[in-house]
Amino acid sequence: MSIPSDLEIAQAATLQPMDEVARQMDLPTEFLERHGTDVAKIELDAIDAMADRPRAKYVVVTAITPTPLGEGKTTTTVGLGQAFSHIGKRGVVAIRQPSMGPTFGIKGGAAGGGYSQVVPMEKFNLHLTGDFHAVTSAHNMLSAVLDNHLYQGNAVGLDPYRVTWRRVLDVNERALRNIVTGLGGRMDGVPRESGFDITSASEVMAVLALSNDLAELRERLGRIVVGYTPDGDAVTAEDIKGAGAMAALMRDALKPNLMQTLENTPVLVHAGPFGNIATGNSSIVADRIGIHCGDFLVTEAGFGADMGAERFFNIKCRTSGMAPDAAVVVATVRALKVHSGNHKIVAGKDLPPALLEENPEEVHAGAANLRKQIENMRLHGVSPVVCINAFPTDHPSEHAAIREIAESMGARAAVSTHFADGGRGAAELAEAVAEAAQEESHFQLLYPDDATLREKIETIATKVYGADGVDYAPAANTSIDLYERNGFGGLPICVAKTHLSISSDPKLLGAPTGWRMPVREVRASVGAGFIYPICGDMRTMPGLGKNPAAHHIDVKPDGTIVGLF
């Protein structure tokens, strides 16, 4: 049976009015700020108004180390949220807002897929309520204030060669990665090297995701470090009087967005921090609302469990004080076969024919990755459930192989057909998650706040990634010493590495051992509240491919958008 395209399915959906979606959550409609008929923002006053209500079970969806195509975390998150209604429970979903860079690039949108989507798909992927524009504006406002400060005499003594604050834009644009500003005459500013990142990589986006309320947002924006003096003292947005204007631009963006799935399950869509150099998780304020609006709050952590889930636990949960009750680890036949080392997937190209042949032995050969990611959940005291995300090209024997691997680790497992069948296809998964969430919680953070930065980095590298140790480049050691001298040593760690391996080397599949993690550089997101060591070359401004999605997206005379996927 052929399935219509994601866009065709989404455009055929029957949407409920926002008031009805809110009523499903027992969310008083007085807290809705409507943006048209099918999207609304939620006033932050709702957090205190619902604080005395019972707390939902808090479930995070993560995955094994993915292929370049991804293994369906968002689709699983949406499908699981829908599935709870099929077992007599109320689910609420909380996910990130996608960047328009990937939407117009090679990856496409991030509304889920098949019959487990967030709708309207077009609004979800294009602008929504303008939060990304607010982040872009606030970030670039600080850039303008910074360059004006240099031009007007540089009263704080900022070293122009040690400025760390760049500019952002929500498009894939490689030509802007490295630029020179201030060219022209004396009246055109102070010439210096700079560059652009994509908006999702902005520290302002991470601040949005990790702030508990407006007062904290304002405080975090003020703590953003824009550079250093010649003596190595940090210069902040507060120091150059830029934080207040940024907060004004971000005031309304802090309100989470309310949407719905194809089955009208409520969805909180908010924030979109970069998955490589930031948390890759949706916002704390969305979770603080959703946790009192149903029986289960299902949220998603970016990339594999070694990255997104580790950051969810040790950065987001540390900041919010909320503890997860269960974790879903999404696994696919194709990804485990790739981890066997026998196949290679290239984005934009057809799958190798041999990958689609029935071969449960190859699934077992790639099992080490699944086992390690289950261990990573238990390392944090969270009960894991393996979601076998079924594709039409899979074989029952291969699903049975994944189930055997999960059960050998003492983990629950469920086959889920949510892409093709919507919520009812994830009912078995929902039952397994409900059972896991009833178990006594033993959630624990991986390291204490007062550990040194090197101790925190090495704990993540050895315990989560399986490295033998960490090797620091001289520049990395210098930065760590600088940050600890400036009082940033108490911040948690967000390791920036490849998402295609548990290790820092994308070529190492499975669960590699006998390797050391190289840290070539360490940067600080002080306002957001974490330090990020960089392993390898992290691109924070993607480029467009030869045949990007932008070539195919268009609008008909009646206003219907086509070409999204």
Side-chain angles (χ1 to χ4, degrees), residues 326-535:
V328 175
V329 180
V330 178
T332 61
V333 167
R334 75 179 181 194
L336 288 173
K337 284 184 172 181
V338 167
H339 282 293
S340 74
N342 296 335
H343 308 281
K344 183 178 181 181
I345 290 178
V346 178
K349 294 187 177 181
D350 292 338
L351 294 174
L355 183 69
L356 306 180
E357 296 175 1
E358 184 173 8
N359 195 335
E361 289 76 18
E362 279 191 342
V363 175
H364 279 288
N369 189 271
L370 176 55
R371 291 194 184 100
K372 178 56 179 164
Q373 301 292 29
I374 291 172
E375 287 178 3
N376 286 338
M377 297 303 96
R378 292 219 171 93
L379 187 63
H380 294 89
V382 181
S383 296
V385 177
V386 174
C387 169
I388 304 169
N389 185 16
F391 290 7
T393 52
D394 296 348
H395 301 272
S397 63
E398 296 168 334
H399 291 166
I402 299 177
R403 195 184 293 272
E404 289 171 15
I405 297 162
E407 291 175 350
S408 73
M409 297 291 293
R412 295 174 175 84
V415 176
S416 189
T417 60
H418 48 272
F419 183 91
D421 300 318
R424 67 182 176 86
E428 180 191 357
L429 175 63
E431 294 278 12
V433 170
E435 290 178 5
Q438 289 299 325
E439 295 179 354
E440 185 178 354
S441 176
H442 299 286
F443 175 67
Q444 60 184 8
L445 299 172
L446 193 61
Y447 49 79
D449 290 341
D450 58 4
T452 67
L453 294 179
R454 288 179 180 84
E455 287 170 345
K456 294 171 184 174
I457 294 168
E458 288 157 18
T459 297
I460 295 171
T462 56
K463 292 189 175 182
V464 177
Y465 305 156
D468 288 345
V470 179
D471 295 323
Y472 300 94
N477 277 318
T478 299
S479 295
I480 290 173
D481 293 341
L482 174 68
Y483 300 151
E484 291 188 331
R485 182 170 72 81
N486 275 278
F488 309 150
L491 297 178
I493 298 297
C494 180
V495 178
K497 72 173 187 69
T498 179
H499 62 285
L500 298 175
S501 173
I502 291 180
S503 76
S504 57
D505 183 347
K507 297 187 292 295
L508 298 181
L509 302 174
T513 58
W515 62 282
R516 294 182 64 83
M517 188 175 83
V519 175
R520 67 172 181 83
E521 185 181 354
V522 182
R523 298 179 187 174
S525 287
V526 180
F530 55 80
I531 303 294
Y532 60 105
I534 298 176
C535 308

Side-chain angles (χ1 to χ4, degrees), residues 150-268:
L150 293 175
Y151 177 78
Q152 299 293 351
N154 193 11
V156 299
L158 178 62
D159 186 345
Y161 295 100
R162 302 184 75 176
V163 171
T164 56
W165 195 251
R166 291 157 55 92
R167 285 171 166 80
V168 297
L169 195 65
D170 195 31
V171 297
N172 289 1
E173 177 57 288
R174 64 173 58 84
L176 293 177
R177 287 172 181 162
N178 299 286
I179 65 168
V180 177
T181 62
L183 294 178
R186 187 177 63 84
M187 299 295 292
D188 298 314
V190 178
R192 64 181 184 86
E193 291 186 10
S194 187
F196 276 81
D197 300 321
I198 197 164
T199 296
S200 56
S202 168
E203 185 176 348
V204 179
M205 183 67 80
V207 166
L208 173 65
L210 290 169
S211 295
N212 280 280
D213 52 37
L214 186 58
E216 185 177 330
L217 176 88
R218 172 62 180 83
E219 180 187 353
R220 286 176 177 271
L221 291 172
R223 294 204 309 256
I224 288 174
V225 173
V226 299
Y228 296 86
T229 68
D231 293 332
D233 297 327
V235 177
T236 67
E238 202 70 68
D239 292 333
I240 61 172
K241 299 180 174 62
M246 296 172 73
L249 289 167
M250 292 295 295
R251 183 194 63 177
D252 292 332
L254 188 59
K255 304 169 187 174
N257 305 293
L258 178 63
M259 300 185 72
Q260 61 190 291
T261 73
L262 291 168
E263 298 180 14
N264 311 121
T265 303
V267 182
L268 297 162

Side-chain angles (χ1 to χ4, degrees), residues 131-141 168-170 199 204 250:
D131 294 348
F132 266 65
H133 299 297
V135 171
T136 302
S137 298
H139 184 114
N140 293 335
M141 169 67 75
V168 297
L169 195 65
D170 195 31
T199 296
V204 179
M250 292 295 295

